[in-house]
Amino acid sequence: MSYQVLARKWRSRTFKELVGQAHVLQALVNALDNDRLHHAYLFTGTRGVGKTSIARILAKCLNCEQGVSSNPCGVCSACKEIDEGRFVDLIEVDAASRTRLEDTKELLDNVQYAPTRGRFKVYLIDEVHMLSTHSFNALLKTLEEPPPHIKFLLATTDPHKLPITILSRCLQFSLKNMQPEKVVEHLQHVLDSEKVAYEVPALWQLGRAADGSMRDALSLTDQAIAYCGDKLTSQAVTAMLGTIDQDQVYRVLDALVAGQADAVLDAVGELAEHSPDYVAVLGDMLSALHRIALAQAVPDVVDNSQGDRERILDLAGKVTAEDVQLYYQTGMIGRRDLPLAPDPRAGFEMVLLRMLAFRPDGVPAAPQQALPGGGSADGARRESQSAPATSSTEAHSEPEEPEPRQPEAQPPAPEPAVLQPAAPQPEPEPPAPQQPSEMLPPPWDEAPPLDAYESQPVAEPVREPMPEPVRNVMPESVPAPEPAPAAAPVMDTPVAETVVEVAAAPEPANDAPKIPLGQLQTEDWIPLSQQLGMGGVTGAIVSHCELVSCGGGKLLLRLDGEHDTLYNDNHRQRIQAALKTYFGEEIALDVETGTIATETPAAWRERRRLERLAAARQSFLTDDRVQAIVNAFSGRVLEQTIEPVGS
């Protein structure tokens, strides 16, 4: 018997054998079992996802001698003839080769006749978008109101080219691309049945190369069996596909995350031995960085569609989120500019070195290059800057007294610099708070003469601690201005906006005693949530919950329905663990979503913030000194710039 390729030998013959497309199968199975059949079906999707296979299975379901059902027997003459492609009442039409109007008319002339053997006459039109406009127009009326014994099954890879009049007359099913996980799982089943040995990484390479097409995956598997011989190995499949091993990409990423420039260049050297497409390598790196960023944000989102979930999670724990974003952006720009590089490998290496150079901590290691005189470049540079140039004669003489430095003219400051002698002095006591008049700089005629500085050894100026700023206090030496008449005109000069901080009492420290579980009440949830000290997304979820009930070691929380987008069971487990640690006993926690009836911790904090803000603004606006300044200068107070001071 002649050899049959895997793509034809393993074509699905029942709905149970079909891989993926569960959303399409559910609709078809229910329609067949409940006898709610439409007269025209349109299956869309890319190549190799099962459009024609589903249409043939549906034709078997309609014409099986055991009756119409979603499980054809597969042994009757109708089922066998459909599988073998010789059933007289299944008319398969290749629209790409029969695009003319005359072909469509010839096809429709036979619609009026009853089926020869089967229950229905099924027209399977493949690549229906290739029909001409006149052919579509001729098909419209028959497609809308066909005889009861006619079923139309249309398949296309480009539904956008179909007229809207055709789309409105069909039930449309969009088939999805095959995920690499499903492709690898199916390939394992096929190769086990074919008694062919394989390595799982080799199947992952075939699954990714198939790009969502199961037929392409089976065709590539046929090619790999012919290339590899007895066993499909990862190395042989890589050579056959002309791609690079994914492990080499991760070796570059491991060196990049570790910040080791030498390891990065070594990994690139190993990569260069296979003459890779460096643009494609950068694309693989960007894809991995994207999955690392997803793992850091929401670990549950990362699937094993690329066969590297464990490695992605491992890298996500070693690199910061800021570095991931930096690497991704640098790689995107480098991929765009890589064709401009004089050498692809040099351009790729420069992209990786740029990632290291622009890390927040700087380059991973300072360049160390030995100079002719010995020592490193940095050390020689530091010695040349710090050591004064001396001759051989001066090296044995007494060092001269350094010339005293003349003080530079400084602008007036709130506190003049105090020069201390070089001899150690006892630590001075903290200065008493100074009055505003004492903070003013001394007049120039009262300043100490320059000779006073020359009589003392030169030392670095030591500034005493600045006193606490006095807020909203008028200097005693400056008399308060007389209040201006109430009807004074407002100046047209623009007023500079200055944020005014008003001191407010800080929130009490979170050192309240623990609340026993047996005495926990609904109103105790706000202080309890503060004592749990949870942050991040879980802390935000806790702050939008209210305590519904407590008893028998069980707690029921209600989460505000407007803030349940990021909630999942992982957050419930973290909250339960925190409560267990707090109470020191086992807690069964249940979280429901709904409408909040009491005040949540988040609402309590917002209310307290608004109350403190209103009190601070009222205190400032009613202050007599503020009113005096406003009246004296015809000013106005911008309330939105007043903020309370404190936590």
Side-chain angles (χ1 to χ4, degrees), residues 188-404:
Q188 288 178 325
H189 170 67
V190 170
L191 293 176
D192 290 339
S193 302
E194 294 287 332
K195 302 296 189 295
V196 177
Y198 59 86
E199 293 179 356
V200 175
L203 301 187
W204 278 105
Q205 293 187 54
L206 295 174
R208 286 192 292 266
D211 195 20
S213 172
M214 185 64 75
R215 182 173 62 236
D216 289 3
L218 291 171
S219 299
L220 289 172
T221 304
D222 253 332
Q223 182 180 352
I225 292 174
Y227 182 87
C228 300
D230 297 336
K231 183 177 181 180
L232 272 65
T233 62
S234 178
Q235 184 177 1
V237 171
T238 299
M240 183 200 74
L241 295 175
T243 59
I244 60 171
D245 190 357
Q246 201 70 7
D247 286 341
Q248 293 180 330
V249 176
Y250 282 109
R251 280 197 288 272
V252 176
L253 283 175
D254 288 336
L256 192 64
V257 169
Q260 300 173 354
D262 52 349
V264 169
L265 296 179
D266 291 341
V268 175
E270 296 178 6
L271 197 62
E273 296 178 359
H274 303 276
S275 300
D277 180 4
Y278 289 101
V279 175
V281 175
L282 266 180
D284 292 342
M285 290 183 59
L286 293 175
S287 177
L289 289 171
H290 166 249
R291 289 165 59 78
I292 291 173
L294 291 180
Q296 291 178 337
V298 187
D300 297 337
V301 173
V302 181
D303 54 17
N304 199 34
S305 60
Q306 305 294 330
D308 56 356
R309 185 175 187 274
E310 296 300 327
R311 200 151 190 176
I312 289 294
L313 294 177
D314 179 63
L315 284 172
K318 296 179 180 178
V319 61
T320 64
E322 294 81 3
D323 285 349
V324 173
Q325 296 297 328
L326 173 66
Y327 296 159
Y328 189 88
Q329 184 66 21
T330 306
M332 288 285 289
I333 298 174
R335 191 182 185 195
R336 180 196 65 190
D337 297 340
L338 195 58
L340 304 177
D343 177 66
R345 175 179 175 179
F348 181 69
E349 290 177 343
M350 285 301 296
V351 172
L352 299 179
L353 294 178
R354 193 179 307 135
M355 292 179 182
L356 293 176
F358 284 97
R359 292 178 67 185
D361 293 335
V363 293
Q368 300 291 334
Q369 181 178 2
L371 297 178
S376 64
D378 289 346
R381 183 167 57 253
R382 285 193 297 267
E383 292 175 2
S384 63
Q385 293 176 353
S386 60
T390 58
S391 63
S392 59
T393 306
E394 295 174 344
H396 301 281
S397 62
E398 294 270 337
E400 296 182 359
E401 184 78 11
E403 294 185 3

Side-chain angles (χ1 to χ4, degrees), residues 454-532:
E454 297 179 357
S455 60
Q456 299 179 0
V458 177
E460 292 293 332
V462 179
R463 292 187 178 273
E464 296 182 357
M466 292 292 293
E468 292 293 330
V470 181
R471 303 183 185 272
N472 303 327
V473 178
M474 296 292 293
E476 295 180 357
S477 60
V478 181
E482 293 293 334
V490 179
M491 298 174 61
D492 294 334
T493 306
V495 181
E497 297 185 6
T498 304
V499 177
V500 181
E501 297 181 345
V502 179
E507 294 292 336
N510 190 15
D511 55 357
K514 286 190 176 181
I515 305 171
L517 181 59
Q519 303 177 8
L520 184 63
Q521 301 295 328
T522 304
E523 57 272 11
D524 297 330
W525 172 244
I526 293 178
L528 173 59
S529 64
Q530 294 176 342
Q531 295 177 13
L532 291 180

